[in-house]
Amino acid sequence: MRAYTDSALEQAVRLPLIRQRQLQCLVPYPLEGRLRRLLQAADAQLLAVEHGTAVLFSFSIAESQCAALVASLNEACHGQLQWPDCR
């Protein structure tokens, strides 16, 4: 049993831990599709979408990519994007 376990551990693939950052942003309905496409293109993980007077997106992204994504989203949404949480 021990030999089998040792062999399996030797063959296991090690994956690096990547710190994630969770963010929320609020956009008007006409920008919902654009924001979804931008998040998908950035490999952000969409956690939740809530529809109210505007659309609230909750998502996570690798911490190393966070600043670039925030800048990109702000630019693409022409100042209509709101960040309800502290970044």
Side-chain angles (χ1 to χ4, degrees), residues 3-46:
Y4 176 76
T5 303
D6 290 343
S7 174
L9 288 175
E10 288 173 5
Q11 294 175 6
V13 177
R14 293 181 187 224
L15 298 175
L17 289 178
I18 300 173
R19 285 185 163 263
Q20 296 287 307
R21 181 102 184 257
Q22 289 188 10
L23 298 170
Q24 288 187 320
C25 64
L26 198 60
V27 296
Y29 279 91
L31 294 176
E32 180 179 4
R34 179 183 295 175
L35 193 66
R36 284 180 183 270
R37 288 188 298 276
L38 291 168
L39 292 174
Q40 184 177 15
D43 289 328
Q45 180 182 6
L46 189 57

Side-chain angles (χ1 to χ4, degrees), residues 44-73:
Q45 180 182 6
L46 189 57
L47 303 173
V49 178
E50 296 177 29
H51 295 88
T53 57
V55 184
L56 178 66
F57 282 85
S58 299
F59 59 94
S60 66
I61 185 82
E63 198 170 80
S64 62
Q65 297 174 316
C66 186
L69 178 62
V70 167
S72 174
L73 294 178

